[in-house]
Amino acid sequence: MRILLCVLFCIGHFSLLAQTPNDRPKLVVGIVVDQMRYDYLYRYWDKYSAGGFKRLVNQGFNCRNNHYGYAFTETGPGHATIYTGTTPSVHGIVSNNWYSRALERIVYCAEDTTVQAVGAPTNPGLHMSPRNLQVTTLGDELKLATNHRSKVIGVSLKDRSSIFPAGFFSDGTYWFDSKSGNFVTSTFYTQTLPAWVQQFNERKLPQAYLEKPWTTLLPIAQYSESDPDDSPYEGKYSHEEKPVFPHAIKDPRNREFQNLPSSPWGNSLTLEIAREALVQEKLGQDQFTDLLAVSFSSPDYVGHLFGTSSIEAEDTYLRLDLELADFLKFLDTKVGEGQYLVFLSADHGAPYNTQYMSDRKYVKQMALGPMIQEKLNEHLHHLFGVEKLVPIFREQELFFRESAFRPGRLERSEVERATVEFLLKQPSLACTVVPTNQSLSTCSGLRRNLLEANYYHKRSGDILYSLEPGYLNYNYPKGVTHGVGYEYDTHVPLLFYGWKIMPGSTKAPTYVHDIAATVADWLCINPPNGSTGTPVQGIGLSLKH
Ligand SMILES: [Zn+2]
C-alpha cells in the first residue's frame, strides 16, 4: 500500500510541477548524423554498445515517426530546418544549390562572395556564411534571450553543416578544409582563428588519420546486415582497385585529404574538435545555457560512395556508436550527467541502390534530367517555335526563359500547360506543382504539401515536380543519393536525451521543424523568428522542487 501511494504520489508530483526558468540545462548538444535513416537505429541494434545509440534510445525520448516536411531532402536544407524550426518555404535554403535568376547562375547555399576564408592558406576560394538564410536560428534566439551571455559553437566537416546550425551570432563556426587539412571559418564571424583552433590545426590530426588503414571493427564475417564486401553496387576510392577492406584512406598520388571525410575517421576528427571547443570555450559551465552543434558528415560521404547496404556503412555506424558513447561520458565528466540536453537527428535519409533494387525486380531507373530537358525543349520548340524555353531543369524543378513571355510574345499559361502535359507522360515523373498557376498543380495530399513547403518564390523554379517513388533524380549507378522526399529520405531519427527528459517514445507524427520549437520551449526562450514547428507533445520532465 505504501509503495502504491508513493507511486501515485510520485506520478502526480511529476505531472503537477511546471518547469520554471531556473530549470534550464547548462548545455544543449545538437547532434546531426548526415544521411542517417531512421531504421539504422535498429538495423545494427544488436551490435551497438550500451553507451551510444542505445543509451540515447533507452534513457531518452524517441520520436519514432519523425519526418522532413518538404521534398528536397538534402544537407543544406536539412541543417537549416533543424536549427530554424521551419521549412525551405520560410528559411529560404531550398536545396544545396539553386538557380539564381538575378545572377543567372547556380549558387551554393552557404556561398557569400563578400567574405573570405579564415585559416585556409591553400584554399582562398572558400567564401561562406549564413547570409542566404532568411531567419534566425535556435542559437541566435538563445543569444538574444541572454544578452549574448550564452555561447553558440558549430563544428562539422561540411561548411553548410556548421554554418546553418550555428547561425548568425555564432561564437565559433568551424568546418574542414580538405585541401589544407585545417578547420577553418569565415571573415563573416572573425578575422583570425582563435588561438585554440590554430593550435588544434597545428596538431595535424588529419595527417595522422590519413595514415590509419580502415579495417573492420568486428571480424568481417559478422557483418551479416550488409552486402558482401565486394559488391557491384559500391563505388570505391579513386586510388583503389576494389571497394574492399582493408582500405587505405590516403591517395598516394596527392597530399590532400579528400578521402578522409569518406571514412569513419572523419567522425573521429569531428569529435576531437567538438571536445576541444567545449573545453576551450568553457561550454556548459555557468547559468547561461550554451549550444554546441555537432554534425557528422562522414556517414553521408560513406553512404554516397559505398551505398546504404555496404559493410563500409555498417562499420561507420558501429564505430560512430562507440564514439558517441565516449562523447556522452565526456559530457558526463565535463558538464555533469543531468546538466546537458542532447538531441540527435539527421539532415535526410537515403534509399537503397537503384540497380540493387532493379536486379531484384523492383525496376526503377534514374530520372535522367538532361534527357528529359532536351526532349521537353524539342517539344516546346515544335509547339511554339522558340528554342530552349526551359534553360534550367534540375532538383525537381524547372525555370522558363522569362524573355519569351514579354508582351507580344508567348502566352505563359499555354507554355505552362504544354510543359505539364509533357512532364506527366514521363514514366519517372509523378505530378507537378505550379505555384503561380494552381490549376496546373496535379500533385495532391502529402506530395503537394512537401513540394509547396520547399517553394521559396525568389529561389524556386516555375514548375516543381515530384518523381515516382523509387526513382532517383540523378544517374547514380554505384552507392546512393537522396533528395526526392519519399519515406526513405524523409524518415529520420529524433531522440531527446539527458537533462530532465524522462524515457519514452511516441508514434505520433513529429517533424524535424518541431525540434527548435521543442528545445526553445524548454529553454524558456523565443523559437527562431520564422519557426512554424510546434513543441513535441508527450515528453515527460522529471522536475523536483
Ligand atoms: Zn548527401
Side-chain angles (χ1 to χ4, degrees):
M1 188 60 183
R2 194 179 291 168
I3 291 169
L4 180 64
L5 275 176
C6 177
V7 168
L8 288 172
F9 175 75
C10 292
I11 290 168
H13 189 64
F14 286 133
S15 59
L16 287 174
L17 282 173
Q19 188 199 342
T20 74
N22 296 329
D23 287 329
R24 287 180 265 207
K26 287 186 169 177
L27 176 68
V28 176
V29 183
I31 298 176
V32 180
V33 184
D34 199 319
Q35 203 185 108
M36 184 171 182
R37 220 167 48 197
Y38 171 76
D39 69 304
Y40 291 172
L41 282 177
Y42 297 110
R43 185 177 178 121
Y44 312 128
W45 181 264
D46 291 344
K47 292 193 172 116
Y48 286 147
S49 68
F53 287 116
K54 280 183 176 169
R55 179 173 171 188
L56 298 177
V57 170
N58 291 338
Q59 298 175 44
F61 192 91
N62 183 3
C63 300
R64 299 171 63 96
N65 186 14
N66 181 64
H67 284 263
Y68 274 91
Y70 57 85
F72 298 7
T73 35
E74 298 176 356
T75 290
H79 284 78
T81 296
I82 291 169
Y83 286 90
T84 66
T86 189
T87 54
S89 58
V90 180
H91 63 56
I93 306 301
V94 292
S95 51
N96 282 340
N97 304 278
W98 59 79
Y99 177 70
S100 162
R101 290 183 179 88
L103 300 174
E104 296 184 331
R105 66 171 174 88
I106 303 294
V107 299
Y108 173 60
C109 59
E111 82 166 51
D112 178 353
T113 53
T114 69
V115 298
Q116 304 292 325
V118 175
T122 55
N123 207 1
L126 299 168
H127 307 283
M128 306 293 171
S129 89
R131 214 182 297 267
N132 288 324
L133 190 64
Q134 300 300 306
V135 295
T136 61
T137 62
L138 180 66
D140 291 337
E141 294 296 331
L142 181 59
K143 290 186 69 74
L144 290 172
T146 61
N147 199 21
H148 295 267
R149 288 173 292 184
S150 292
K151 271 191 171 180
V152 175
I153 305 277
V155 296
S156 179
L157 298 186
K158 292 183 183 175
D159 48 55
R160 57 191 181 279
S161 307
S162 59
I163 287 172
F164 297 132
F168 292 90
F169 311 146
S170 146
D171 297 281
T173 300
Y174 308 109
W175 65 90
F176 184 65
D177 166 32
S178 64
K179 278 206 163 71
S180 66
N182 283 351
F183 275 88
V184 301
T185 187
S186 159
T187 54
F188 181 86
Y189 311 100
T190 178
Q191 297 302 311
T192 51
L193 280 182
W196 73 261
V197 181
Q198 289 180 35
Q199 284 157 13
F200 184 88
N201 286 335
E202 281 159 18
R203 287 166 62 194
K204 308 273 183 211
L205 291 174
Q207 283 80 346
Y209 281 121
L210 215 49
E211 301 292 339
K212 188 177 169 185
W214 180 9
T215 53
T216 50
L217 182 71
L218 306 174
I220 200 160
Q222 291 182 21
Y223 286 70
S224 48
E225 294 77 10
S226 303
D227 274 354
D229 191 20
D230 190 7
S231 127
Y233 313 113
E234 289 177 285
K236 61 178 185 62
Y237 293 139
S238 55
H239 66 280
E240 287 193 334
E241 290 283 304
K242 286 181 163 194
V244 295
F245 284 95
H247 291 288
I249 309 296
K250 188 175 182 177
D251 185 339
R253 297 167 304 187
N254 74 51
R255 289 141 60 95
E256 293 174 2
F257 300 85
Q258 79 273 16
N259 291 337
L260 187 56
S262 311
S263 81
W265 315 150
N267 294 333
S268 315
L269 185 62
T270 306
L271 276 175
E272 295 268 11
I273 193 164
R275 284 191 182 90
E276 195 67 12
L278 186 137
V279 171
Q280 298 290 343
E281 300 285 353
K282 300 184 174 58
L283 303 182
Q285 302 303 314
D286 60 25
Q287 73 268 40
F288 303 106
T289 307
D290 298 320
L291 171 66
L292 175 62
V294 184
S295 177
F296 295 104
S297 304
S298 290
D300 181 69
Y301 287 115
V302 170
H304 277 293
L305 185 59
F306 299 103
T308 47
S309 305
S310 62
I311 293 178
E312 283 81 355
E314 179 171 355
D315 196 66
T316 298
Y317 278 91
L318 298 186
R319 290 177 178 279
L320 176 61
D321 174 64
L322 291 179
E323 303 223 52
L324 279 176
D326 267 0
F327 187 57
L328 293 173
K329 273 195 225 155
F330 170 83
L331 293 173
D332 293 342
T333 308
K334 296 291 177 188
V335 185
E337 197 172 355
Q339 301 294 324
Y340 63 89
L341 166 72
V342 172
F343 67 81
L344 182 145
S345 193
D347 54 347
H348 54 76
Y352 293 92
N353 175 276
T354 311
Q355 191 60 45
Y356 173 98
M357 298 293 272
S358 292
D359 289 348
R360 283 151 184 81
K361 300 183 184 171
Y362 180 73
V363 180
K364 305 281 166 180
Q365 283 92 36
M366 333 289 170
L368 296 176
M371 270 170 55
I372 296 175
Q373 180 184 13
E374 201 181 315
K375 282 197 288 174
L376 172 61
N377 272 322
E378 279 171 18
H379 180 68
L380 295 176
H381 182 204
H382 178 72
L383 287 180
F384 299 104
V386 178
E387 286 191 61
K388 291 198 177 137
L389 267 172
V390 177
I392 305 293
F393 186 99
R394 60 190 302 282
E395 303 274 11
Q396 301 172 82
E397 60 182 7
L398 62 84
F399 292 73
F400 290 117
R401 185 179 304 288
E402 279 303 312
S403 58
F405 304 129
R406 287 196 193 124
R409 297 191 185 176
L410 297 180
E411 187 60 48
R412 186 182 190 105
S413 61
E414 286 177 22
V415 178
E416 286 171 345
R417 181 172 301 280
T419 301
V420 167
E421 283 170 4
F422 176 89
L423 292 177
L424 294 179
K425 287 185 187 138
Q426 306 306 310
S428 59
L429 268 56
C431 59
T432 52
V433 163
V434 188
T436 56
N437 190 350
Q438 295 283 351
S439 65
L440 293 175
S441 289
T442 58
C443 293
S444 60
L446 179 62
R447 302 304 324 150
R448 185 163 179 156
N449 294 344
L450 293 174
L451 284 172
E452 287 181 346
N454 222 114
Y455 179 75
Y456 182 76
H457 77 281
K458 297 182 189 78
R459 293 173 183 168
S460 293
D462 296 307
I463 294 179
L464 282 66
Y465 58 86
S466 176
L467 297 178
E468 292 281 0
Y471 280 91
L472 281 185
N473 214 20
Y474 301 101
N475 191 18
Y476 226 89
K478 308 271 188 188
V480 294
T481 194
H482 49 86
V484 297
Y486 279 100
E487 161 74 24
Y488 39 80
D489 272 3
T490 62
H491 193 185
V492 293
L494 174 55
L495 305 171
F496 294 101
Y497 165 81
W499 182 54
K500 296 171 187 298
I501 306 293
M502 292 179 48
S505 68
T506 181
K507 293 177 188 174
T510 62
Y511 291 94
V512 173
H513 58 262
D514 294 333
I515 297 173
T518 307
V519 177
D521 174 62
W522 287 329
L523 299 182
C524 306
I525 64 172
N526 287 331
N529 63 9
S531 172
T532 50
T534 50
V536 173
Q537 301 296 302
I539 305 180
L541 299 183
S542 60
L543 299 165
K544 296 174 192 128
H545 294 136

